[in-house]
Amino acid sequence: MNFNKLYTFLRELQKNNSKEWMDANRNYYYEVRDSYISWLDKMDIRLAEVDPNYTHTTGKQAINRINNNLLYHPNKPIYKDHFGAGLDQETKQGDFYIHLGTTESFIAGGFYKPKSSVLKSIRQAIDYNGDEFLEIINKPSFKKIFGNLVDDGDSLKTSPKGYSQEHRYIKLLRKKTFAVQHDLTQKIVTAPDFEDKVIEIYKEMLPFRSYLNQAVSV
């Protein structure tokens, strides 16, 4: 996979974000997209080898559309400035997301601003066994790769309904997003060992995602 070519395409698209440019460069887009899909197929196989509970997700299933949804966001450009893909896709659970873009690149996982029923299940799990969750997110190797949980700036100022302000896990229970993120640079993505880097991040994130997925599947 030529990731330098992927980044070059995205930068050119960003400068010429129009249907006319995309139509004139459709083969260029397909070449980059199809190469990325093939790379995702390869990662799908590798991730299944390290996780017995991994849900196979083909590259075509994983990759997101490059078109922005203008129905709900009419002021956005026609096309995105990144390629996004979610592997290990299981219905109603959090996938393993890879985002390669002109302004930011990262790998993330968990639940970003989930619907209320999912959030309720996660809070119930933390209420019941928050020590296990804290052990996962405070593990030194986890901290080194992800730092803190993603801060969406939308945490509750008070306690959620049914929980006391004095709850021992109140800081976690106030959160509306339960996700982690590892930022990437183009240098990292284009390095020969990037696939191994993805595997390393996946394995470190696995207990975190497993805890959350178990919470929402009960």
Side-chain angles (χ1 to χ4, degrees), residues 123-135 169 211:
R123 285 173 172 160
Q124 287 175 339
I126 291 172
D127 177 44
Y128 176 73
N129 189 9
D131 283 345
E132 180 183 344
F133 190 65
L134 285 173
E135 184 177 350
Y169 307 125
Y211 180 98

Side-chain angles (χ1 to χ4, degrees), residues 65-80:
R65 295 178 71 248
I66 200 165
N67 300 67
N68 274 313
N69 189 334
L70 300 181
L71 178 63
Y72 297 103
H73 304 283
N75 296 324
K76 283 190 173 184
I78 297 176
Y79 303 105
K80 299 171 184 174

Side-chain angles (χ1 to χ4, degrees), residues 27-92:
N27 290 338
Y28 182 16
Y29 164 63
Y30 286 148
E31 180 186 356
V32 173
R33 184 202 63 178
D34 292 349
S35 180
Y36 187 44
I37 286 173
S38 295
W39 181 83
L40 290 167
D41 284 333
K42 184 177 180 180
M43 292 309 305
D44 180 60
I45 294 172
R46 289 200 61 185
L47 292 174
E49 291 173 350
V50 301
D51 177 11
N53 296 314
Y54 178 86
T55 300
H56 275 291
T57 310
T58 66
K60 285 186 177 180
Q61 292 172 324
I63 196 168
N64 295 339
R65 295 178 71 248
I66 200 165
N67 300 67
N68 274 313
N69 189 334
L70 300 181
L71 178 63
Y72 297 103
H73 304 283
N75 296 324
K76 283 190 173 184
I78 297 176
Y79 303 105
K80 299 171 184 174
D81 63 355
H82 64 273
F83 281 101
L87 292 166
D88 193 24
Q89 291 188 18
E90 177 70 27
T91 304
K92 298 180 181 180

